[in-house]
């Protein structure tokens, strides 16, 4: 009990010290003085609190961490004494501190009676916190490697010779040299008919025809159910980014808009013979941007729709029909053995008929036959014959195929635990999951989930992906969801979503902290993270950004599902943590949608809040997420929408006592004003700098000073800008966590200011220093910017050799990263050669 009381006292002291630098301190001080001075003079207690406030302010202004620690220790002793001698008053004090705690306070104050906090509810959630699939470490970009992305063919291909011949005809090369057209083929047909297998087989067969590589996009995991009306189609922009990465375009040089990305694909593909395979397309607009420019290239599309509009683009439409009796028997013979089929030819033909000639259904039938020694083709056909009414194997637009006739018997063979996991996986969004996610869904332990997944894999109800995750084929997932609708309650559906969303929240929060430990965060996640294991800090643990990238479509799908289930307390914290991925890899459509979901959830949480503290925290969350949302909106050119979000963010932040949040929102406002109203940007950055300083946030103040200096320079206040930037650089290089990368960016800005002041040599020295440090920090984008500024500055002076050296290095950076600016740099270098 003593240890527990000490922990409560330490938590209370931390919260009290945090209150002293918040804007709600003046109101809090009166209430605290009344409670602390109950057995003494209230006035003397107010004076004691005032002296503590002054001590803390002095400690933070002089960066005296030891003095701040002594102050916290003194209050810990004071609170522990109250808890020990007067438990009722002690608990009342802790409740008051919990109510007054500023949003985002890192330590939650718990009461003696069991704990109260105003963050997400995590009780009853099993937190595993593991990553149970292999996340590849990103390799250094090698421009010599040609893209070869079409998945491998893993099974024999049966009886599609006619379709392969039509593909040969549709995508065959005609003409010669630059006169060869780019061909387009669309393979369409019923779900489960084998379209993807056909496309992969043809790509494998024709590999040598495309010496510059094969690119592949699977649209299924990119689609999901759009949560906002304008989110549909965002998959096209993200898919284009995937294709450009395959052509060695780095994320920091990735254009923001789909139009710019499409133009870059044309530039990158000119002169190359490429095959682009687009799997699971729904509409023609998902195809047209991906048509490469290189003569002899081809685009191969699979779709459950006919996509007849693409015929206007010269596409050949290839209908894939169910296997006929001979073809179906040939597939069964390949799967079960020729002797088995020859001995029961009539039963084999009946099974083909019951499965509607669908290869996926025939493979499930074969799996059942192989797993039951007593079953024959005839007995299985007789069993399935009673369920033929459940088949809707017609390839008509708008209808769905029910696989109950094929999957029902396989499902009924499962033990109860495996059947339950099967149903619960059907409730999850489409996409591969690892064993830890399956464990969270079922509320079981990891070993149990792995055992049950092996059972489902043996029954061919899940597939194991090369990275060790598990996925359900689309039709199998529909069957699992159908069974869940019959057997699981709506409450269980919500509970599954809560468990999986909580699992992803823990891992995403750990990944966020692994990328940047000290960052403004509103969600109080300590209660959650204290229950979980951080996989990113373990020896040999996965790279946090690579894990987030691998899981991003699933996390976004879980966010949508949690929002539909009204789990607001999980949605906004997950959206906040998830944004770390997008700060480094600009998937703008996904970033925008995730933050819009978070904003809506924060607003709903505020509307349903029961205490003043909950209302304040929801306002802080909404302010944070709206300010973050301004970033993708601006990158997408939606400046009016970004302005609206920022105005609301400022209003929400101003009603909270969180100085750091208010400073951050002002910084985001300044970034917007840099573009929209440059004259006002200085004021916003000055407010951000002042608020950060008051909050004792030296790094936040230094970054605000960096942007302030740039804005002052743009306004023409060059001398003032130089002083501001010099201070920012010094602050970034001092303290407990120096930031040489950001300091180098400031040095580059200092070089620009020197140039504006007419001091060319000082400008050259600063920009050269910045470029060197940015190269050491592997910040190629900013290094290239500094080098290009150097060349612009010095070229009029006739120092051609230096200009050539700088432009050559900048060209190498842009070329290695697939930047569209490489062409302009090459033109400048060619012009230099002509002049000399």
């Amino acid at each position: 009990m003593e240890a527990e009381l000490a922990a409560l006292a330490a938590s209370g002291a931390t919260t009290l010290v945090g209150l002293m630098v918040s804007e709600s301190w003046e109101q809090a001080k009166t209430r605290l003085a009344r409670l602390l001075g109950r057995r003494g003079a209230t006035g003397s207690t107010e004076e004691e609190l005032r002296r503590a406030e002054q001590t803390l302010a002095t400690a933070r202004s002089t960066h005296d961490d030891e003095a701040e620690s002594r102050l916290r220790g003194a209050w810990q002793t004071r609170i522990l004494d109250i808890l020990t001698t007067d438990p009722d008053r002690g608990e009342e004090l802790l409740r008051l501190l919990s109510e007054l705690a500023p949003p985002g306070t890192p330590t939650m104050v718990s009461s003696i009676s069991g704990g109260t906090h105003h963050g997400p509810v995590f009780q009853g959630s099993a937190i595993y916190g593991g990553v149970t699939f292999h996340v590849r470490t990103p390799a250094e970009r090698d421009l010599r490697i040609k893209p070869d992305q079409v998945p491998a063919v893993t099974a024999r291909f049966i009886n599609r010779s006619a379709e392969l011949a039509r593909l040969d005809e549709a995508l065959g090369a005609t003409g010669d040299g630059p006169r060869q057209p780019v061909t387009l083929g669309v393979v369409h047909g019923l779900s489960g008919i084998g379209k993807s297998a056909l496309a992969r087989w043809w790509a494998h067969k024709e590999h040598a025809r495309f010496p510059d590589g094969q690119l592949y996009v699977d649209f299924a995991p990119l689609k999901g159910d759009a949560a906002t009306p304008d989110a549909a189609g965002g998959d096209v922009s993200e898919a284009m980014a995937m294709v450009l990465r395959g052509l060695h375009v780095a994320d920091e040089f990735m254009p923001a808009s789909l139009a710019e990305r499409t133009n870059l694909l044309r530039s990158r593909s000119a002169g190359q013979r490429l095959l682009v395979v687009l799997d699971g397309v729904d509409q023609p607009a998902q195809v047209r941007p991906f048509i490469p420019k290189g003569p002899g290239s081809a685009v191969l599309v699979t779709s459950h729709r006919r996509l007849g509009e693409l015929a206007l683009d010269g596409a050949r439409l290839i209908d894939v029909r169910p296997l006929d009796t001979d073809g179906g028997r040939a597939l069964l013979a390949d799967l079960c053995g020729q002797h088995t089929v020859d001995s029961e030819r009539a039963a084999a033909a009946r099974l083909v008929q019951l499965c509607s000639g669908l290869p996926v259904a025939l493979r499930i039938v074969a799996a059942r036959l192989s797993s039951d020694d007593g079953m024959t083709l005839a007995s299985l056909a007789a069993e399935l014959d009673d369920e033929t009414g459940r088949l809707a194997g017609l390839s008509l637009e708008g209808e769905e195929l029910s696989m109950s006739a094929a999957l029902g018997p396989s499902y009924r063979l499962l033990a109860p635990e495996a059947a339950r996991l099967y149903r619960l996986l059907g409730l999850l969004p489409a996409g591969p999951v690892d064993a830890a996610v399956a464990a969270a869904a079922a509320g079981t332990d990891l070993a149990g989930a792995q055992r049950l997944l092996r059972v489902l894999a043996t029954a061919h109800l899940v597939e194991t992906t090369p990275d060790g995750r598990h996925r359900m084929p689309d039709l199998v997932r529909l069957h699992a969801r159908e069974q869940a609708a019959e057997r699981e309650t709506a409450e269980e559906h919500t509970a599954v979503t809560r468990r999986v969303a909580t699992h992803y929240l823990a891992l995403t929060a750990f990944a966020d902290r692994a990328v940047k430990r000290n960052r403004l965060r509103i969600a109080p996640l300590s209660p959650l993270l204290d229950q979980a294991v951080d996989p990113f800090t373990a020896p040999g643990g996965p790279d946090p950004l690579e894990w987030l990238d691998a899981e991003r479509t699933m996390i976004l799908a879980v966010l949508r599902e949690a929002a539909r289930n009204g789990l607001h307390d999980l949605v906004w914290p997950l959206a906040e943590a998830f944004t770390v991925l997008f700060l480094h890899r600009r998937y703008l459509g996904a970033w925008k949608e995730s933050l819009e979901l978070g904003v809506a959830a924060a607003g709903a949480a505020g509307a349903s809040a029961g205490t003043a503290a909950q209302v304040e925290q929801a306002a802080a969350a909404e302010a944070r997420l709206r300010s973050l949302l301004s970033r993708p909106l601006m990158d997408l050119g939606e400046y009016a929408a970004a302005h609206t979000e920022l105005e609301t963010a400022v209003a929400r932040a101003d009603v909270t006592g969180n100085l750091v949040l208010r400073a951050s929102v002002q910084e985001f406002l300044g970034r917007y004003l840099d573009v929209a109203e440059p004259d006002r940007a200085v004021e916003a950055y000055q407010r951000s700098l002042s608020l950060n300083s008051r909050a004792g946030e030296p790094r936040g103040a230094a970054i605000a000073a960096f942007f302030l200096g740039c804005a002052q320079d743009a306004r023409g206040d060059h001398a003032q800008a130089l002083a501001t930037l010099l201070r920012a650089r010094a602050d970034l290089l001092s303290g407990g966590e120096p930031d040489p990368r950001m300091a180098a960016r400031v040095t580059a800005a200092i070089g620009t200011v020197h140039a504006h002041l007419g001091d060319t040599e000082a400008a050259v020295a600063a920009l050269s220093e910045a470029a060197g440090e940015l190269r050491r920090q592997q910040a190629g984008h900013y290094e290239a910017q500094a080098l290009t500024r150097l060349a612009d500055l010095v070229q009029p002076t006739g120092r051609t050799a230096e200009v050539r050296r700088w432009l050559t290095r900048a060209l190498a950076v842009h070329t290695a990263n697939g930047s569209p600016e490489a062409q302009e740099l090459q033109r400048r270098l060619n012009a230099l050669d002509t002049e000399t």
Side-chain angles (χ1 to χ4, degrees):
M1 187 65 178
E2 291 179 0
E4 184 178 338
L5 290 175
L8 290 170
S11 178
T14 299
T15 302
L16 179 58
V17 170
L19 267 172
M20 291 177 184
V21 293
S22 72
E23 290 205 340
S24 59
W25 173 238
E26 288 302 318
Q27 295 178 354
K29 188 162 52 177
T30 301
R31 297 178 65 186
L32 284 167
R34 189 180 304 121
L35 180 59
L36 289 169
R38 187 175 294 173
R39 294 188 177 180
T42 300
S44 62
T45 307
E46 285 184 336
E47 181 59 30
E48 179 186 12
L49 291 170
R50 188 175 297 110
R51 287 198 305 271
E53 176 190 358
Q54 292 171 349
T55 300
L56 178 62
T58 302
R60 291 205 168 184
S61 65
T62 59
H63 305 291
D64 189 349
D65 294 337
E66 187 175 341
E68 183 174 342
S69 179
R70 287 196 302 270
L71 176 66
R72 189 179 294 107
W75 278 104
Q76 179 178 343
T77 302
R78 174 78 180 277
I79 295 172
L80 180 60
D81 180 66
I82 296 174
L83 288 169
T84 305
T85 60
D86 190 349
D88 291 339
R89 187 163 64 113
E91 184 163 355
E92 185 179 353
L93 171 61
L94 290 177
R95 287 200 184 96
L96 177 60
L97 286 170
S98 183
E99 179 185 342
L100 296 172
T105 298
T107 303
M108 182 194 74
V109 177
S110 300
S111 72
I112 297 174
S113 59
T116 60
H117 65 91
H118 45 265
V121 179
F122 304 119
Q123 289 84 353
S125 299
I127 308 300
Y128 303 99
V131 175
T132 60
F133 68 95
H134 175 64
V135 181
R136 288 175 294 181
T137 301
E140 187 174 343
R141 187 176 288 103
D142 187 346
L143 300 183
R144 297 169 299 177
I145 297 177
K146 304 298 182 184
D148 193 7
Q149 299 177 345
V150 177
V153 177
T154 57
R156 288 184 58 190
F157 206 60
I158 302 294
N159 204 45
R160 291 299 190 191
S161 55
E163 287 87 348
L164 287 170
R166 293 180 65 192
L167 273 175
D168 288 339
E169 180 183 355
L171 301 179
T174 59
D176 54 39
R179 290 177 293 181
Q180 291 186 31
V182 176
T183 53
L184 176 58
V186 178
V187 174
H188 62 93
L190 194 66
S191 295
I193 205 74
K195 303 181 297 295
S196 297
L198 176 65
R200 294 175 188 182
W201 185 268
W202 189 87
H204 174 71
K205 180 174 77 74
E206 299 296 323
H207 195 274
R209 270 194 46 200
F210 303 99
D212 297 304
Q214 296 187 352
L215 298 156
Y216 175 82
V217 176
D218 181 2
F219 274 86
L222 297 178
K223 286 180 287 198
D225 299 318
T228 56
D230 58 350
D235 55 325
V236 180
S237 184
E238 185 167 332
M240 181 62 74
M242 294 168 60
V243 167
L244 290 173
R245 288 187 198 98
L247 295 174
H248 304 295
V249 177
D251 287 309
E252 57 264 36
F253 293 91
M254 189 72 67
S257 70
L258 175 61
E260 292 172 312
R261 292 179 181 184
T262 302
N263 287 332
L264 182 55
L265 173 62
R266 292 172 185 147
S267 299
R268 299 287 288 179
S269 63
Q272 297 192 53
R273 181 177 290 184
L274 296 164
L275 173 65
V276 181
V277 178
L278 306 176
D279 207 356
V281 165
D282 288 328
Q283 49 191 309
Q286 293 171 313
V287 176
R288 294 189 175 105
F290 294 91
I291 299 175
K293 196 172 181 180
S297 294
V299 179
L300 177 53
V301 177
T302 74
S303 177
H304 69 279
R305 298 180 56 200
R306 193 165 184 269
L307 302 183
E309 294 174 46
L310 289 176
L312 300 175
D313 300 271
R316 295 286 296 275
L317 308 180
I318 300 164
D319 184 10
V320 181
R321 298 182 179 276
L323 294 171
D324 59 19
T325 299
D326 290 339
R329 278 197 295 220
L331 178 56
L332 280 175
D334 185 63
L335 296 170
C336 303
Q338 188 68 52
H339 174 74
T340 300
V341 172
D342 287 345
S343 63
E344 297 185 88
R345 291 185 62 79
R350 179 59 179 153
L351 283 172
V352 173
Q353 181 183 6
L354 290 171
C355 292
S356 298
L358 297 177
V360 64
L362 289 168
R363 290 184 184 278
I364 294 169
V365 162
R368 286 204 58 206
L369 288 166
S370 64
S371 63
D372 188 340
D373 293 336
M375 182 173 287
T376 64
L377 294 177
S379 64
L380 181 54
E383 179 184 331
L384 297 180
D385 199 48
D386 292 335
E387 299 178 336
T388 54
R390 297 172 67 190
L391 285 172
L394 300 175
S395 183
L396 299 176
E397 186 171 348
E399 293 191 7
E400 292 184 356
L401 174 68
S402 170
M403 290 295 290
S404 296
L407 293 172
S410 296
Y411 165 68
R412 287 197 299 271
L413 288 174
L414 296 173
E417 281 185 306
R420 177 175 178 268
L421 178 60
Y422 175 75
R423 295 192 299 271
L424 297 184
L425 291 178
L427 293 176
L428 299 184
V433 300
D434 67 3
V437 175
T444 187
D445 59 84
L446 187 60
Q450 290 171 326
R451 175 178 58 81
L452 295 175
L453 285 168
R454 286 194 295 270
V455 172
L456 296 180
T458 300
H460 296 274
L461 295 173
V462 299
E463 301 170 346
T464 303
T465 61
D467 58 11
R469 288 185 288 180
H470 307 271
R471 67 176 298 274
M472 281 183 160
D474 288 343
L475 294 176
V476 176
R477 186 175 64 85
L478 289 175
H479 177 265
R481 180 161 289 202
E482 177 185 278
Q483 296 303 313
E486 294 179 6
R487 297 287 304 278
E488 307 296 337
T489 65
E491 290 77 14
E492 177 61 5
H493 188 171
T494 300
V496 169
T497 304
R498 175 173 287 281
R499 291 193 295 266
V500 172
T502 302
H503 171 81
Y504 272 114
L505 174 57
L507 286 175
T508 304
F510 278 136
D512 177 26
R513 285 153 176 77
V515 173
K516 189 70 179 176
R517 178 60 56 181
N518 295 324
R519 189 199 308 279
L520 171 62
R521 298 177 179 93
I522 302 302
L525 297 182
S526 295
L528 171 66
L529 302 186
D530 289 345
Q531 301 175 54
V533 177
D534 184 351
F536 305 105
T537 56
D543 179 277
L545 287 177
E546 292 305 310
W547 177 81
L548 284 166
D549 209 342
E551 287 284 289
R552 72 181 186 279
T553 55
M554 191 63 175
I555 294 173
L556 184 57
V558 168
L559 270 170
R560 294 180 187 128
E561 191 69 16
R564 277 193 288 266
N565 281 273
L567 303 178
H568 310 306
D569 60 324
L570 290 171
V571 172
W572 73 257
L574 180 52
E576 181 188 32
F578 193 25
T579 206
V580 66
L581 171 66
F582 306 114
L583 291 171
H584 291 79
R585 302 184 182 179
R586 321 259 314 167
Y587 304 115
L588 297 177
W591 191 9
K592 175 186 174 186
E593 184 185 353
S594 68
L595 289 172
E596 287 173 337
L597 289 167
V599 166
S608 62
T611 68
Q614 290 172 341
V615 170
E616 187 173 0
Q617 183 176 80
E622 191 177 345
R624 175 64 170 159
L625 293 170
R626 285 186 184 275
S627 61
L628 287 168
L629 179 56
S630 69
R631 293 285 295 276
L633 288 173
M634 289 178 62
D635 286 349
L636 291 166
E638 300 177 28
Y639 291 103
H643 187 211
T644 299
E645 295 297 336
L646 286 165
E647 284 186 324
T648 307
V650 170
R652 296 289 187 274
D654 283 349
V655 302
T656 74
N658 194 325
L659 293 176
V660 179
L661 171 65
R662 293 179 58 199
S664 174
V665 170
Q666 288 297 326
E667 181 189 311
F668 279 107
L669 177 61
R671 303 283 288 276
Y672 164 79
L673 294 172
D674 277 335
V675 177
E677 300 178 67
D679 288 342
R680 292 182 54 205
V682 168
E683 300 170 12
Y685 290 133
Q686 285 173 333
R687 287 192 293 270
S688 179
L689 175 58
S690 173
L691 288 164
N692 271 306
S693 299
R694 287 170 57 192
E697 288 289 330
R699 185 177 184 277
I703 293 174
F706 165 47
F707 290 121
L708 173 60
C710 293
Q712 290 168 335
D713 185 47
R715 195 170 68 175
D717 300 334
H718 306 309
Q720 190 174 10
L722 182 58
T724 302
L725 291 170
L726 288 170
R727 169 190 165 189
R729 182 173 65 179
D731 289 344
L732 285 166
L733 291 174
S734 63
E737 191 178 359
D739 191 342
R741 185 178 187 272
M742 196 70 188
R745 290 181 60 190
V746 179
T747 302
I750 288 171
T752 301
V753 174
H754 279 307
H756 291 155
L757 290 169
D759 192 342
T760 301
E761 290 309 311
V764 169
L767 286 166
S768 299
E769 178 188 346
E773 181 59 33
L774 289 166
R775 184 170 187 175
R776 285 187 289 275
Q777 296 294 325
Q778 299 182 330
H781 177 70
Y782 295 115
E783 177 200 355
Q785 282 184 349
L787 292 168
T788 305
R789 286 185 210 168
L790 276 167
D792 294 341
L793 181 63
V794 171
Q795 189 165 359
T797 68
R799 293 155 61 176
T800 305
E802 291 176 284
V803 172
R804 181 180 288 107
R805 174 163 54 83
W806 293 325
L807 289 180
T808 299
R809 170 59 188 164
L811 174 62
V813 172
H814 282 282
T815 301
N817 291 281
S819 167
E821 295 180 42
Q823 189 172 359
E824 172 59 21
L825 290 170
Q826 186 62 65
R827 186 198 63 75
R828 287 184 64 177
L829 280 167
N830 292 341
L832 280 178
D833 293 337
T834 302
E835 292 171 7
T836 56

